[in-house]
C-alpha cells in the first residue's frame, strides 16, 4: 500500500477496517466529503457534520461558481453558514484514534522481528510512521524503548526495502524527541546508520542522512556521531557530490553544521577538507578556542590553494595573536603561520598582511617576554620560507626606522644571531640568508654585510659540521650563492684549513643512491672559485680530487649515478671543476702529467657533444683551448737521419727526408693523449658545430678553441685549410656579421684576419659586402688592437692600400738604380748583374 506524507490519517484509518485487532470505524466518524475520519468535526444549521477544512472548501467553490451556499448532502440552501464545533464527537474520535493507535503499536511490536515476513514488517513500520505523523501529542506512546529498539533492529535486515523503511521510521520517531534519539544512539547503532552512507542505494543514503540530521539536533549526541570512524568524511563527501539528490546534499550540510558544536568534530572536518568551521572559531571563538584551533591548523596537511584561502581568512588574526603577551597564543599562531607560509601565494598574502615586522622583532628581541629558543626557531623557519619566494623586500619595512629585510643592519643582525645561537636555529637563519642571496636584487646587500662583519670565516666553518645535515646544507647553499661575488675571499678561507675543502669534496664524492641537493650545491661552490687559483688547484690535484671527478662524470653519463632533479646541474659543475686543471698547464708539470695520464683532451672532446647542456659544452671548449695552447710545447720534433758521404760533398744530390705522422699544424708527432692535439682528436668538426649555437658564451668558447690552431708559430695556412675542410669559414664569418658581443667580435676579427691571409679565400670573401662592412665597423669602432687587426684584414681584400709594400718596392728599385749607376762608372755592364 502506497505511503502518504499527509497528516489526515486517511490511509491509517481506512486500513484499520481490514487489519485484525483494530476497532471498526463508526460511520459518524467519517466526513461525507473526504470519506476520512474527521479531526475537527463541525455541524451546519441542518445538523449535518463535516470536516471543517472540507466544508470550507465547499463553500469557497460555491462562491466562485456564483451559487448559493448549500448543504453538500441535501443540496438545500443554507440561511446561516456558521460552523459549530462538534466537541463531543471530536473527543470521541480522539479516544477511538488513541485506542486504535495503541492497538496498532502493539501489533507493530509483535511484528518487528527479522524472521517475520517482509510484508508484515513493512506494514508495522508504516503504522508507526503514520501514528507519529498524525498524532504528535501521543508520540510518548512510540517512545517505548522496546519499540524503538525493535525498529532499530530492522536495520540489520537483509532486505534493502526493510532497511530503508526502518531508517524512514526512525527519522519520524526521533523528530523532536530527545529521549527517542538517545535510545536510537545506544550501542553501535550510530555506526550502523553511518555505514548506510556508503552501502545503501541513493534513497537509502538520503534516509540515513535524514536520521543523522535529526540525531545531530541533540548537542549531547554530536560528539558521538563525530566519533564514529568515517562519519564526518562521508558527510563532507556528500556535500560536494554532484550525483546525489539535492535533499541529501542539503541535509548532509545541515548535519555537519549541527556537529560544529564539538571542537573535536570541527578538527575532524578540517582534516577532511571542511576548513571553514575551524577558521570561524579561530576568528570568533574564546581565547582557549583560538589556541586550540590555531594549534590544530599548524598540524593540518593543506594544499597550496587552501593555504592561500587560510592566509586570506585568518592571516591577520594569527598575526595579532603573535603580538600578544600570552605565550600559548603566540606559539599556536606561529605554528599555524609556519604551516600556511610554505606556498608562494600564501606567503605573499602574509607579507601584505604585515607578518614581517613581528617576525623580525621576535627574532632579535632580548628581554622580558622574549620568545624561547624553540619558538625563535619557528619564527626563523617562517622567515626562511617567506624570503625564498622572491618577493621585492626593498619595499617592505620591518624595523622601527623603516629598515627593510635587505638593509645592511638587519642582515648583520641575522649574521650575529647566527653566531650566537644553537645549531637548530642557525640552520633556519642561514636558510633566510640563502633566500635573500637567491635574489639578484638583494644578494649584493648580503655580500656587503658579510664583508663588513668579517663573517666569511665563520660561515665557511659550518661546512665541517656532520651532526646537523640541514645546517650544513644551508651553509653550503649560502656560500654557493655568494661565491660569484666573493670568490677570492672564499678561496682564501678554504685554503686556510684543509678540513673544509676536504669536507666539500667528501660531500661531492659521497656514494648516495641519487644525486642530492647538497652535492649539487657543494659542486656549484667549488665551480665558482677562481679558476686560476693555482694553490687551490694543486691541492685538489694532490688530494686526488680530479681523478674522482672524472670517475663521477663517467658514472653520471653512463647512467650508473642518477638523480633527475639535480643530475644536470651537478654534471655541469663537475665538468667546470675538472676544467680548472687546464689553467695550471703553463705553470705545473704535474698538471700536464695528469692530463696526459687521464687522456683529458679526449674526455673534453667527448663532452662537447653534450647536446642541450650549454655549460658543459662551454667549459669543455674552454678546457680544450687551454690544452691546445700547450700542444706546440708538447709536440715531439722527429730526429732527422744524418746525411751520407756523397750528400755531404754534393749537396745538390740531397732531398728532404720524409717523416710519416707529422701533424699538419704543429709540424711534429702529435697525439690526443700526449700533446693534446685537437687535430689528432678530430675535435675541429665538433667545435665548428658549436659556432651555430644559440648561446653566445658557447660560441665564444668554441671560437677561442679553434683560434689555437691559427696561433703564431704554427702552420696558419694549414690551420685555415683544416677549418675550411670542416666547413668552418662561413660560421666564423657569421659570428663576425652577427656582432652579438664585443668579445665575440674581437675574437672573430682576429680569426677572419688569419683566414684572409689565404689569397683565394680573400678574393672570394672580398666580394661579400656585408663582411667588408663588418670589418670596416671594427676598424672604426673597436679597441686599438682590434682596429689594427681589422685594418690588416681589409688590406687582404684590397679595401685599404698596402702602403708598406709599395714603399718596400720603391726602396728596392732605388737600390737597383744606384747599383747600375755605380757599375756604369766602373765601365761594367750592369745588365750582367741583374
Amino acid at each position: 500500500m502506497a505511503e502518504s506524507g499527509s497528516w489526515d490519517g486517511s490511509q491509517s484509518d481506512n486500513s484499520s477496517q481490514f487489519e485484525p485487532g483494530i476497532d471498526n470505524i463508526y460511520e459518524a466518524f467519517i466526513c461525507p466529503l473526504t470519506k476520512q475520519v474527521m479531526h475537527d468535526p463541525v455541524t451546519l444549521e441542518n445538523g449535518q457534520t463535516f470536516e471543517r477544512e472540507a466544508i470550507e472548501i465547499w463553500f469557497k467553490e460555491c462562491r466562485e461558481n456564483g451559487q448559493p451556499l448549500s448543504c453538500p448532502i441535501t443540496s438545500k440552501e443554507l440561511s446561516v453558514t456558521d460552523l459549530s464545533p462538534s466537541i463531543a464527537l471530536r473527543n470521541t474520535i480522539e479516544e477511538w484514534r488513541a485506542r486504535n493507535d495503541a492497538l496498532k503499536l502493539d501489533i507493530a511490536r509483535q511484528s518487528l522481528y527479522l524472521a517475520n515476513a517482509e510484508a508484515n514488517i513493512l506494514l508495522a513500520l508504516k503504522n508507526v510512521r503514520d501514528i507519529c505523523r498524525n498524532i504528535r501529542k501521543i508520540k510518548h506512546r512510540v517512545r517505548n524503548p522496546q519499540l524503538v529498539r525493535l525498529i532499530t533492529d530492522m536495520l540489520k535486515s537483509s532486505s534493502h526495502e526493510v532497511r530503508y523503511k526502518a531508517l524512514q521510521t526512525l527519522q519520524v520517531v526521533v523528530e523532536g524527541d530527545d529521549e527517542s534519539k538517545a535510545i536510537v544512539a545506544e550501542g553501535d547503532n550510530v555506526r550502523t546508520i553511518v555505514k548506510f552512507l556508503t552501502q545503501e542505494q541513493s534513497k537509502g543514503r538520503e534516509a540515513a542522512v535524514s536520521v543523522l540530521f535529526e540525531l545531530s539536533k541533540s548537542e549531547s549526541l554530536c560528539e558521538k556521531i563525530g566519533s564514529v570512524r568515517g562519519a564526518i568524511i562521508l558527510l563532507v563527501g556528500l556535500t560536494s557530490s554532484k550525483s546525489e539528490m539535492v535533499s541529501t546534499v542539503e541535509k548532509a550540510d545541515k548535519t555537519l553544521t549541527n556537529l560544529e558544536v564539538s571542537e573535536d568534530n570541527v578538527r575532524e572536518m578540517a582534516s577532511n577538507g571542511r576548513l571553514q568551521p575551524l577558521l570561524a572559531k579561530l576568528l570568533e571563538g574564546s581565547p582557549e578556542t583560538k589556541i586550540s584551533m590555531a594549534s590544530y591548523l599548524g598540524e593540518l596537511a593543506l594544499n597550496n590553494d587552501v593555504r592561500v584561502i587560510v592566509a586570506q581568512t585568518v592571516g591577520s588574526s594569527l598575526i595579532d595573536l603573535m603580538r600578544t603577551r600570552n605565550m600559548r597564543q603566540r606559539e599556536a599562531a606561529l605554528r599555524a603561520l609556519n604551516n600556511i607560509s610554505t606556498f608562494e601565494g600564501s606567503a605573499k598574502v602574509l607579507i601584505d598582511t604585515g607578518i614581517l615586522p613581528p617576525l623580525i622583532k621576535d627574532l632579535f628581541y632580548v628581554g622580558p617576554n622574549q620568545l624561547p629558543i624553540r619558538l625563535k626557531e619557528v619564527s626563523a623557519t617562517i622567515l626562511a620560507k617567506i624570503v625564498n619566494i622572491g618577493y621585492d623586500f626593498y619595499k617592505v619595512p620591518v624595523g622601527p626606522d623603516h629598515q627593510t629585510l635587505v638593509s645592511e643592519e638587519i642582515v648583520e643582525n641575522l649574521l650575529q644571531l647566527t653566531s650566537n645561537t644553537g645549531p637548530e636555529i642557525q640552520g633556519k637563519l642561514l636558510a633566510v640568508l640563502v633566500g635573500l642571496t637567491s635574489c639578484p636584487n638583494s644578494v649584493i646587500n648580503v655580500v656587503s654585510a658579510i664583508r663588513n662583519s668579517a663573517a666569511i670565516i665563520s660561515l665557511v666553518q659550518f661546512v665541517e659540521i656532520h651532526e646537523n645535515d640541514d645546517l650544513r646544507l644551508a651553509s653550503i647553499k649560502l656560500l654557493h650563492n655568494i661565491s660569484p661575488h666573493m670568490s677570492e675571499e672564499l678561496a682564501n678561507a678554504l685554503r686556510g684549513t684543509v678540513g673544509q675543502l676536504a669536507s666539500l669534496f667528501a660531500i661531492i664524492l659521497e656514494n648516495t643512491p641519487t644525486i642530492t641537493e647538497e652535492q649539487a650545491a657543494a659542486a656549484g661552490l667549488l665551480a665558482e672559485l677562481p679558476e686560476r687559483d693555482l694553490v687551490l688547484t694543486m691541492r685538489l690535484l694532490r688530494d686526488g680530487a680530479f681523478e674522482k671527478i672524472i670517475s663521477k662524470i663517467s658514472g653520471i653519463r653512463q647512467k650508473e649515478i642518477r638523480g633527475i632533479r639535480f643530475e644536470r646541474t651537478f654534471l655541469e659543475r663537475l665538468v667546470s671543476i675538472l676544467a680548472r686543471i687546464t689553467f695550471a698547464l703553463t705553470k705545473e708539470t704535474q698538471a700536464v702529467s695528469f692530463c696526459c695520464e687521464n687522456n683529458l683532451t679526449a674526455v673534453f672532446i667527448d663532452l662537447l657533444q653534450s647536446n642541450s647542456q650549454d655549460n658543459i659544452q662551454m667549459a669543455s671548449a674552454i678546457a680544450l683551448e687551454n690544452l691546445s695552447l700547450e700542444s706546440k710545447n708538447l709536440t715531439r720534433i722527429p730526429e732527422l737521419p744524418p746525411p751520407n758521404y756523397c750528400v755531404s760533398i754534393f749537396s745538390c744530390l740531397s732531398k728532404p727526408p720524409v717523416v710519416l705522422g707529422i701533424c699538419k699544424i704543429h709540424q711534429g708527432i702529435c697525439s690526443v693523449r700526449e700533446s693534446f692535439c685537437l687535430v689528432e682528436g678530430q675535435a675541429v668538426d665538433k667545435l665548428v658545430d658549436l659556432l651555430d649555437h644559440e648561446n653566445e658564451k658557447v660560441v665564444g668558447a668554441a671560437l677561442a678553441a679553434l683560434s689555437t690552431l691559427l696561433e703564431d708559430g704554427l702552420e696558419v695556412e694549414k690551420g685555415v685549410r683544416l677549418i675550411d675542410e670542416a666547413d668552418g669559414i662561413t660560421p666564423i664569418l657569421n659570428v663576425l656579421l652577427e656582432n652579438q658581443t664585443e668579445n665575440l667580435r674581437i675574437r672573430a676579427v682576429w680569426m677572419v684576419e688569419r683566414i684572409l691571409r689565404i689569397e683565394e679565400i680573400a678574393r672570394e670573401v672580398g666580394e661579400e659586402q656585408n663582411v667588408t662592412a663588418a670589418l670596416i665597423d671594427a676598424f672604426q669602432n673597436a679597441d686599438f688592437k682590434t682596429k689594427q687587426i681589422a685594418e690588416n684584414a681589409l688590406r687582404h681584400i684590397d679595401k685599404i692600400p698596402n702602403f708598406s709594400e709599395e714603399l718596400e718596392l720603391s726602396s728596392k728599385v732605388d737600390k737597383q738604380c744606384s747599383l747600375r749607376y755605380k757599375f756604369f762608372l766602373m765601365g761594367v755592364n750592369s745588365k750582367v748583374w741583374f
Side-chain angles (χ1 to χ4, degrees):
M1 186 176 295
E3 180 185 353
S4 171
S6 66
W7 288 11
D8 60 8
S10 59
Q11 292 181 0
S12 174
D13 296 336
N14 283 345
S15 62
S16 66
Q17 300 179 55
F18 308 101
E19 294 175 29
I22 302 300
D23 282 353
N24 291 327
I25 299 176
Y26 297 97
E27 185 177 352
F29 294 174
I30 304 297
C31 172
L33 290 174
T34 63
K35 309 302 182 186
Q36 304 291 334
V37 176
M38 291 182 285
H39 291 277
D40 186 11
V42 292
T43 303
L44 300 180
E45 65 175 353
N46 62 2
Q48 297 293 331
T49 302
F50 301 89
E51 179 71 59
R52 180 185 293 275
E53 183 180 0
I55 192 62
E56 286 177 346
I57 292 174
W58 171 266
F59 287 165
K60 180 181 178 182
E61 289 176 351
C62 289
R63 293 189 186 96
E64 290 175 351
N65 295 328
Q67 298 176 353
L69 301 185
S70 61
C71 174
I73 303 299
T74 63
S75 299
K76 291 182 178 180
E77 185 175 346
L78 298 172
S79 59
V80 179
T81 57
D82 293 340
L83 303 177
S84 302
S86 299
I87 297 175
L89 178 59
R90 184 177 63 192
N91 291 338
T92 303
I93 292 175
E94 287 179 355
E95 290 175 2
W96 172 86
R97 183 173 280 116
R99 186 173 62 255
N100 200 34
D101 288 344
L103 291 173
K104 287 184 179 180
L105 291 178
D106 287 338
I107 294 173
R109 279 192 289 271
Q110 297 171 21
S111 302
L112 291 175
Y113 59 94
L114 293 175
N116 197 1
E118 179 177 328
N120 293 337
I121 295 174
L122 292 175
L123 180 59
L125 292 172
K126 176 183 178 300
N127 285 335
V128 174
R129 289 195 304 277
D130 288 344
I131 292 170
C132 290
R133 286 169 175 159
N134 293 337
I135 312 177
R136 296 290 174 185
K137 65 182 180 181
I138 66 163
K139 186 175 284 189
H140 64 276
R141 297 178 181 275
V142 185
R143 191 182 300 153
N144 182 290
Q146 180 188 8
L147 179 59
V148 176
R149 292 189 182 99
L150 289 173
I151 298 171
T152 305
D153 285 343
M154 296 301 103
L155 298 178
K156 302 174 185 177
S157 172
S158 59
S159 167
H160 284 287
E161 188 66 18
V162 169
R163 293 197 300 268
Y164 169 55
K165 294 300 181 181
L167 287 169
Q168 280 192 325
T169 305
L170 286 175
Q171 176 197 353
V172 176
V173 167
V174 302
E175 186 177 356
D177 188 346
D178 286 344
E179 292 184 31
S180 293
K181 291 175 184 178
I183 296 171
V184 171
E186 291 175 347
D188 206 28
N189 292 334
V190 175
R191 180 178 175 276
T192 301
I193 297 169
V194 169
K195 181 176 65 175
F196 292 146
L197 296 179
T198 60
Q199 296 183 353
E200 288 297 314
Q201 299 171 354
S202 178
K203 64 179 184 179
R205 289 194 295 273
E206 197 273 341
V209 170
S210 297
V211 175
L212 291 174
F213 172 57
E214 291 300 330
L215 295 178
S216 70
K217 293 178 182 178
S218 173
E219 290 189 14
S220 61
L221 296 181
C222 288
E223 195 86 36
K224 184 165 188 176
I225 296 172
S227 67
V228 175
R229 183 181 178 186
I232 288 178
I233 189 173
L234 289 173
L235 288 168
V236 170
L238 287 174
T239 61
S240 59
S241 174
K242 303 296 184 183
S243 58
E244 292 292 337
M245 295 185 294
V246 174
S247 59
T248 303
V249 174
E250 290 177 348
K251 284 189 178 178
D253 188 72
K254 291 178 180 178
T255 303
L256 288 169
T257 301
N258 292 340
L259 296 180
E260 291 173 12
V261 297
S262 164
E263 287 188 9
D264 288 340
N265 290 344
V266 170
R267 285 189 281 269
E268 184 68 17
M269 291 178 201
S271 65
N272 289 291
R274 189 179 174 93
L275 205 60
Q276 198 56 43
L278 183 145
L279 301 181
K281 288 187 178 295
L282 204 159
L283 290 171
E284 302 169 1
S286 66
E288 283 300 316
T289 298
K290 289 183 177 182
I291 292 173
S292 174
M293 296 298 105
S295 298
Y296 193 71
L297 184 58
E299 302 170 5
L300 275 177
L302 305 174
N303 64 44
N304 290 336
D305 291 338
V306 172
R307 284 190 173 96
V308 174
I309 295 172
V310 172
Q312 292 170 337
T313 307
V314 298
S316 179
S317 295
L318 291 171
I319 293 170
D320 288 340
L321 289 177
M322 283 178 60
R323 294 189 172 101
T324 66
R325 293 182 175 273
N326 186 312
M327 199 59 67
R328 291 178 60 231
Q329 288 184 342
R330 294 170 73 181
E331 178 172 0
L334 282 171
R335 299 200 181 282
L337 289 167
N338 183 36
N339 190 7
I340 64 179
S341 62
T342 302
F343 178 53
E344 177 181 346
S346 55
K348 287 182 177 179
V349 172
L350 293 176
I351 293 172
D352 295 337
T353 309
I355 191 174
L356 287 179
L359 269 183
I360 296 297
K361 180 180 178 181
D362 282 347
L363 280 172
F364 294 162
Y365 176 71
V366 176
N369 209 38
Q370 70 178 22
L371 282 183
I373 290 296
R374 62 184 178 84
L375 293 186
K376 286 197 174 187
E377 180 187 345
V378 180
S379 295
T381 303
I382 297 170
L383 186 58
K385 292 176 180 179
I386 288 175
V387 299
N388 276 281
I389 68 171
Y391 198 86
D392 189 0
F393 294 107
Y394 282 98
K395 300 178 180 179
V396 185
V398 298
D401 299 321
H402 301 286
Q403 303 100 321
T404 67
L405 197 56
V406 295
S407 296
E408 197 164 309
E409 177 187 350
I410 299 296
V411 176
E412 288 181 0
N413 287 338
L414 287 171
L415 291 168
Q416 184 178 5
L417 189 60
T418 302
S419 302
N420 299 330
T421 53
E424 295 303 326
I425 192 171
Q426 282 176 330
K428 308 306 180 186
L429 293 172
L430 288 178
V432 172
L433 294 172
V434 169
L436 293 177
T437 53
S438 298
C439 178
N441 293 332
S442 57
V443 63
I444 300 301
N445 295 59
V446 178
V447 168
S448 177
I450 292 173
R451 282 199 177 107
N452 292 340
S453 58
I456 192 67
I457 299 298
S458 60
L459 292 176
V460 168
Q461 290 174 352
F462 288 121
V463 171
E464 294 187 85
I465 291 178
H466 300 290
E467 300 79 16
N468 190 317
D469 293 343
D470 291 338
L471 174 56
R472 186 179 62 189
L473 171 60
S475 69
I476 293 173
K477 290 171 68 175
L478 173 59
L479 294 175
H480 174 225
N481 287 352
I482 66 175
S483 58
H485 309 277
M486 302 186 70
S487 58
E488 293 290 346
E489 293 98 322
L490 280 169
N492 292 334
L494 290 171
R495 282 198 305 265
T497 59
V498 178
Q500 290 149 5
L501 191 60
S503 295
L504 281 174
F505 255 97
I507 293 168
I508 292 172
L509 301 174
E510 186 179 358
N511 291 321
T512 54
T514 59
I515 299 166
T516 65
E517 182 182 14
E518 187 176 39
Q519 287 179 309
L525 169 56
L526 289 179
E528 290 288 350
L529 297 180
E531 55 199 11
R532 298 185 185 276
D533 188 322
L534 190 60
V535 174
L536 203 59
T537 298
M538 296 313 295
R539 179 177 290 179
L540 296 177
L541 182 60
R542 286 192 297 271
D543 291 344
F546 290 118
E547 290 97 329
K548 295 172 183 176
I549 286 177
I550 293 173
S551 175
K552 204 81 170 176
I553 290 172
S554 175
I556 294 173
R557 299 196 77 206
Q558 294 175 12
K559 302 302 180 183
E560 296 172 1
I561 303 173
R562 295 180 178 272
I564 296 174
R565 184 178 176 188
F566 301 108
E567 179 179 323
R568 183 188 183 96
T569 54
F570 187 51
L571 181 58
E572 289 175 351
R573 292 163 181 176
L574 290 180
V575 173
S576 182
I577 296 171
L578 181 60
R580 72 179 296 126
I581 189 66
T582 66
F583 288 90
L585 294 174
T586 59
K587 297 181 180 179
E588 288 289 344
T589 56
Q590 293 180 45
V592 175
S593 299
F594 173 82
C595 292
C596 291
E597 292 167 5
N598 292 277
N599 199 8
L600 215 56
T601 306
V603 171
F604 284 117
I605 290 173
D606 186 41
L607 288 168
L608 284 178
Q609 302 175 83
S610 302
N611 295 329
S612 301
Q613 293 182 287
D614 298 5
N615 292 333
I616 292 178
Q617 292 176 317
M618 180 176 64
S620 300
I622 292 171
L624 290 174
E625 176 193 6
N626 295 336
L627 290 163
S628 181
L629 287 172
E630 284 299 300
S631 293
K632 59 186 177 184
N633 302 323
L634 299 175
T635 296
R636 185 164 57 86
I637 305 300
E639 296 182 4
L640 301 178
N644 58 33
Y645 178 74
C646 293
V647 170
S648 64
I649 297 176
F650 304 102
S651 58
C652 62
L653 299 176
S654 66
K655 294 182 179 179
V658 177
V659 181
L660 300 177
I662 296 295
C663 176
K664 297 177 183 180
I665 306 300
H666 303 110
Q667 291 301 295
I669 299 175
C670 285
S671 70
V672 181
R673 179 185 289 273
E674 301 295 334
S675 65
F676 317 144
C677 181
L678 299 185
V679 180
E680 292 297 320
Q682 300 179 349
V684 178
D685 289 341
K686 299 178 179 63
L687 289 167
V688 167
D689 289 341
L690 294 181
L691 296 179
D692 288 327
H693 204 284
E694 294 179 353
N695 189 327
E696 62 191 36
K697 293 182 179 179
V698 176
V699 175
L703 208 59
L706 287 170
S707 70
T708 61
L709 303 177
L710 307 181
E711 290 283 337
D712 292 334
L714 303 180
E715 294 290 335
V716 174
E717 180 176 348
K718 292 181 180 178
V720 173
R721 301 288 185 192
L722 196 66
I723 293 172
D724 190 23
E725 290 172 6
D727 297 324
I729 303 298
T730 299
I732 293 172
L733 293 175
N734 287 337
V735 174
L736 174 65
L737 295 174
E738 290 169 2
N739 193 19
Q740 293 180 332
T741 66
E742 187 62 22
N743 287 336
L744 277 181
R745 178 164 76 167
I746 291 171
R747 181 69 69 177
V749 168
W750 186 92
M751 292 195 71
V752 168
E753 189 276 328
R754 305 254 159 169
I755 290 169
L756 294 179
R757 294 179 186 182
I758 310 303
E759 189 174 343
E760 64 268 25
I761 297 178
R763 283 197 303 269
E764 184 177 346
V765 173
E767 298 175 359
E768 299 289 338
Q769 294 182 0
N770 50 357
V771 175
T772 302
L775 289 171
I776 291 173
D777 182 64
F779 174 63
Q780 293 174 342
N781 301 310
D783 61 85
F784 178 74
K785 185 177 180 180
T786 305
K787 282 183 179 182
Q788 291 182 315
I789 299 172
E791 180 181 352
N792 290 336
L794 288 169
R795 285 197 179 95
H796 296 325
I797 57 176
D798 295 330
K799 300 302 179 182
I800 294 180
N802 196 337
F803 296 110
S804 60
E805 290 183 2
E806 292 179 9
L807 290 173
E808 184 179 344
L809 179 60
S810 175
S811 177
K812 184 176 180 181
V813 171
D814 289 344
K815 288 179 181 180
Q816 290 176 344
C817 291
S818 178
L819 283 173
R820 285 195 181 101
Y821 179 69
K822 288 180 181 179
F823 283 124
F824 175 75
L825 292 177
M826 295 170 60
V828 180
N829 187 352
S830 61
K831 289 183 180 180
V832 175
W833 296 90
F834 296 95

